[in-house]
């Protein structure tokens, strides 16, 4: 019998490519994934693309692709602290610690992708190790019904020019240091000075002038329960040089400890217990992302339509934790539409799908990223929502709802709309809520555990 299955080709086997690949195989497609690395190299010879926390909603989308395989890396809330100044002028600005209205999960992208690839192969998917060039892409696209480009931020993404109407920034807004650590046991009482749920709350510690840090539970592909750190240095911040002092797992760990010793010493007793993952030399990296929305559907030189997914379509500064979530949701929406659509997959049809995704998620995800970057457009949000979150638990939790479901943010833009958001949640006027806010004199401090502090 002739093979009547629709054929798909996917270039790139990161989270986006493997998610779409498994989803398309499950939807009855005959799928080939092309990857510039073999399976072992994807898992062991490169760093994770990011921490890739799924906040709430995206876990439900992901469940349409693959069952939940992980019970480590879950977080249940966020402890926020903001400081300003340094040295003698160092001042605590505000803090709040709030539970999420959902569950969040941080799993090594290399593990997520490998698990997807394993299932993809078991269900008959084909995996070809080959670096695909634009000419190859043309030949590949000529033979299949659907071609997806999932090559991440570089490489073939350049076939899809940036969309000036949807792209806000021309350069990176933060220099990044990502690192994963072991050594800090999940001793909940040690975290109690910051968190109502012990080690299960992430920390988001902000220096108003220099940048931000994220620190939270993480499932490393080999080491298991660990903690992930991401530092976000603003341009010109002294953190940029501090991050650049990281050249390997040990110096990355030392840079993080030095950062906390200098700027956030309240947490040092815990942070000093972190140990590098020497067994994974790729457990850290330096980076920077220019947040870019691409014209995500293109034609190859002979006119075959190809669509970008994941970072190849939209790349985000990671401060709002949107990239991996966006990749999964884009793939799921596309596969849902393909299950319904039995006609030819045309350039126009692919554009309709990307525009649907833009309206459904990607636009709001870019806006929530601007909110967390402290973009001028969101100055009133920062001014009102942070202190409101500090005095009202519901507002604090609702603030983090934007990470899971960013769309409501599009309707909360003016000062009046922010005021209404606050008063609807608090049951009293925004002025009354904000009048209760008092800046803290100092923040509670971690106590040294059973290990001595490591000086840097
Ligand atoms: C520091 C940091 C923290 C982050 N934290 C979060 C978070 O908390 N939440 C969240 O949702 N997102 C987060 N992200 C974003 C998230 O990690 C990415 O959006 C996601 O992993 C992108 O997956 P991808 O498959 O699109 O790209 P990639 O992972 O880059 O995969 C692309 C693949 O294509 C391959 N490839 C490239 N060119 C070719 C070619 N020509 N031929 C064949 N193969 C090719 C590459 O080798 C690679 O394997 C973070 C990102 C960073 C940098």
């Amino acid at each position: 019998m002739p093979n009547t299955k629709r054929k798909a080709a996917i270039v790139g086997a990161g989270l986006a490519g493997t998610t779409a690949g498994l989803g398309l195989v499950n939807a009855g497609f005959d799928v080939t994934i092309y990857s510039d690395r073999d399976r072992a190299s994807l898992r062991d010879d490169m760093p994770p693309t990011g921490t890739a926390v799924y906040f709430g909603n995206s876990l439900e989308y992901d469940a349409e692709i693959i069952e939940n395989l992980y019970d480590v890396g879950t977080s249940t809330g966020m402890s926020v602290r903001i400081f300003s100044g340094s040295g003698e002028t160092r001042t605590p600005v505000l803090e709040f610690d709030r539970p999420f209205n959902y569950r969040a999960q941080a799993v090594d992208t290399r593990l997520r992708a490998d698990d997807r690839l394993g299932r993809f192969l078991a269900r008959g998917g084909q995996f070809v190790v080959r670096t695909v060039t634009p000419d190859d892409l043309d030949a590949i696209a000529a033979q299949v019904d659907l071609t997806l480009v999932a090559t991440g931020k570089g490489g073939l993404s350049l076939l899809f020019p940036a969309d000036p109407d949807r792209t806000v920034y021309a350069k990176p807004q933060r220099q990044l240091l990502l690192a994963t650590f072991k050594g800090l046991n999940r001793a909940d009482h040690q975290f109690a000075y910051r968190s109502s749920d012990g080690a299960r709350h992430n920390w988001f510690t902000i220096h108003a002038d220099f940048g931000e840090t994220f620190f939270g539970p993480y499932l490393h592909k080999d080491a298991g329960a660990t903690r992930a750190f991401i530092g976000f240095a603003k341009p010109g911040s002294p953190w940029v040089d501090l991050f650049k002092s990281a050249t390997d797992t040990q110096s990355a760990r030392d840079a993080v400890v030095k950062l906390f010793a200098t700027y956030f010493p309240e947490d040092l007793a815990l942070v000093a217990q972190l140990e590098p993952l020497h067994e994974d030399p790729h457990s850290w990296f330096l980076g920077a992302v220019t947040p870019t929305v691409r014209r995500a559907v293109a034609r190859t030189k002979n006119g075959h339509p190809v669509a970008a997914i994941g970072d190849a379509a939209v790349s985000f500064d990671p401060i709002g934790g949107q990239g991996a979530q966006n990749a999964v949701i884009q793939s799921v929406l596309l596969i849902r539409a393909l299950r319904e659509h039995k006609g030819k997959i045309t350039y126009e049809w692919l554009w309709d799908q990307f525009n649907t995704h833009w309206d459904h998620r990607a636009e709001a995800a870019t806006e929530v990223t601007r909110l967390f970057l402290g973009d001028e457009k969101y100055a009133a949000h920062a001014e009102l929502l942070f202190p409101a979150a500090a005095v009202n638990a519901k507002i604090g939790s609702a603030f983090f709802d934007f990470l899971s479901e960013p769309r409501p943010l599009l309707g909360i833009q003016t000062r009046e709309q922010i005021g209404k958001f606050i008063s609807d949640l608090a049951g009293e006027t925004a002025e009354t809520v904000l009048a209760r806010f008092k800046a803290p004199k100092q923040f509670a401090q971690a106590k040294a555990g059973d290990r001595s502090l490591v000086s840097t």
Side-chain angles (χ1 to χ4, degrees):
M1 250 179 58
N3 183 357
T4 54
K5 280 183 164 185
R6 290 185 285 179
K7 288 198 176 107
I10 300 172
V11 187
L15 185 67
T18 55
T19 299
L22 181 55
L24 285 169
V25 165
N26 289 342
F29 277 74
D30 192 344
V31 187
T32 303
I33 295 180
Y34 296 86
S35 166
D36 56 358
R37 289 172 181 270
D38 66 21
R39 187 173 173 189
S41 171
L42 284 166
R43 195 184 186 283
D44 296 327
D45 298 341
M46 53 179 267
T49 306
T51 309
V53 185
Y54 287 1
F55 293 94
N57 211 351
S58 52
L59 284 166
E60 287 162 36
Y61 284 89
D62 206 52
E64 291 189 34
I65 301 290
I66 187 168
E67 70 277 24
N68 178 34
L69 300 172
Y70 318 109
D71 55 10
V72 168
T74 298
S75 59
T76 58
M78 190 95 81
S79 159
V80 176
R81 283 183 168 180
I82 306 180
F83 294 83
S84 65
S86 59
E88 296 195 342
T89 66
R90 192 175 161 277
T91 315
V93 175
L94 63 75
E95 76 174 325
F96 57 93
D97 168 58
R98 303 295 181 215
F100 295 143
N101 291 321
Y102 49 79
R103 193 168 59 88
Q105 190 187 56
V107 173
D108 199 318
T109 50
R110 296 167 297 183
L111 181 62
R112 278 201 197 278
D114 188 65
D115 284 334
R116 274 150 227 250
L117 195 52
R119 278 175 171 60
F120 169 82
L121 294 171
R123 288 173 197 168
Q126 290 157 71
F127 183 66
V128 175
V129 179
R130 170 167 152 200
T131 300
V132 173
T133 65
D135 282 349
D136 295 336
L137 189 68
D138 183 55
I140 289 168
Q143 292 165 24
V144 297
D145 302 288
L146 170 69
T147 308
L148 299 177
V149 175
T151 52
K153 294 182 280 287
L156 292 179
S157 74
L158 302 180
L159 296 173
F160 305 87
D163 185 335
D165 296 331
R166 291 174 170 174
T167 299
V168 177
Y169 303 109
K171 53 185 185 206
Q173 301 300 296
R174 297 289 188 273
Q175 294 294 315
L176 308 168
L177 167 60
L178 173 146
T180 304
F181 300 110
K182 59 185 179 181
L184 194 51
N185 298 328
R186 286 180 58 112
D188 286 336
H189 66 276
Q190 285 187 291
F191 287 78
Y193 73 101
R194 277 194 74 154
S195 158
S196 63
D197 196 12
R200 282 170 291 276
H201 279 196
N202 305 289
W203 296 351
F204 193 50
T205 311
I206 301 173
H207 190 287
D209 306 312
F210 299 150
E212 304 82 6
T213 66
F214 171 88
F215 186 56
Y218 183 68
L219 171 57
H220 179 270
K221 67 185 175 76
D222 303 316
T226 42
R227 298 194 81 79
F229 168 86
I230 313 172
F232 304 86
K234 291 184 177 177
S237 150
W239 295 13
V240 173
D241 283 341
L242 180 55
F243 289 1
K244 282 189 189 151
S245 68
T247 54
D248 57 16
T249 50
Q250 182 65 50
S251 52
R253 178 259 175 211
D254 294 345
V256 173
V257 175
K258 192 165 180 188
L259 181 82
F260 277 84
T262 312
Y263 298 98
F264 310 126
E266 288 83 353
D267 298 314
L268 184 60
L270 285 192
V271 171
Q273 296 177 38
L274 298 173
E275 292 170 13
L277 279 183
H278 292 311
E279 60 270 43
D280 176 8
H282 305 291
S283 59
W284 74 282
F285 66 79
L286 297 171
V289 180
T290 302
T292 308
V293 182
R294 298 190 179 278
R295 294 185 55 77
V297 185
R299 289 186 196 277
T300 62
K301 70 175 182 199
N302 283 309
H304 305 295
V306 292
I309 58 169
D311 281 4
V314 186
S315 54
F316 299 87
D317 187 285
I319 201 162
Q322 293 300 307
Q325 304 195 82
N326 183 66
V328 166
I329 293 171
Q330 183 184 16
S331 298
V332 168
L333 292 182
L334 183 62
I335 290 160
R336 282 185 195 165
L338 284 163
R339 284 182 186 273
E340 298 296 317
H341 177 78
K342 300 297 176 209
K344 191 170 160 53
I345 299 165
T346 62
Y347 177 86
E348 291 74 21
W349 187 86
L350 289 169
W351 259 119
D352 283 349
Q353 303 320 305
F354 184 69
N355 288 329
T356 299
H357 170 58
W358 176 254
D359 293 342
H360 180 82
R361 178 83 188 196
E363 178 184 16
T366 63
E367 290 300 309
V368 86
T369 301
R370 295 178 75 180
L371 168 70
F372 275 80
L373 281 169
D375 187 293
E376 196 48 40
K377 180 178 177 186
Y378 288 97
H381 294 69
E383 178 197 329
L384 303 175
L385 289 178
F386 276 121
V391 296
N392 184 294
K394 272 194 199 164
I395 296 168
S397 294
F399 182 68
F400 297 123
D401 283 350
F402 293 133
L403 299 178
S404 163
E405 178 42 271
R407 246 183 320 174
L409 181 63
L410 300 179
I412 307 169
Q413 292 288 311
T414 64
R415 229 180 156 81
E416 291 66 37
Q417 288 167 338
I418 303 165
K420 183 168 182 324
F421 174 75
I422 292 172
S423 59
D424 285 353
L425 284 161
E428 54 189 357
T429 67
E431 290 71 25
T432 311
V433 173
L434 291 166
R436 276 206 294 281
F437 174 73
K438 285 197 192 68
K441 290 205 172 54
Q442 59 182 32
F443 293 145
Q445 190 153 343
K447 293 194 180 60
D450 47 356
R451 293 179 217 197
S452 58
L453 292 186
V454 182
S455 61
T456 54

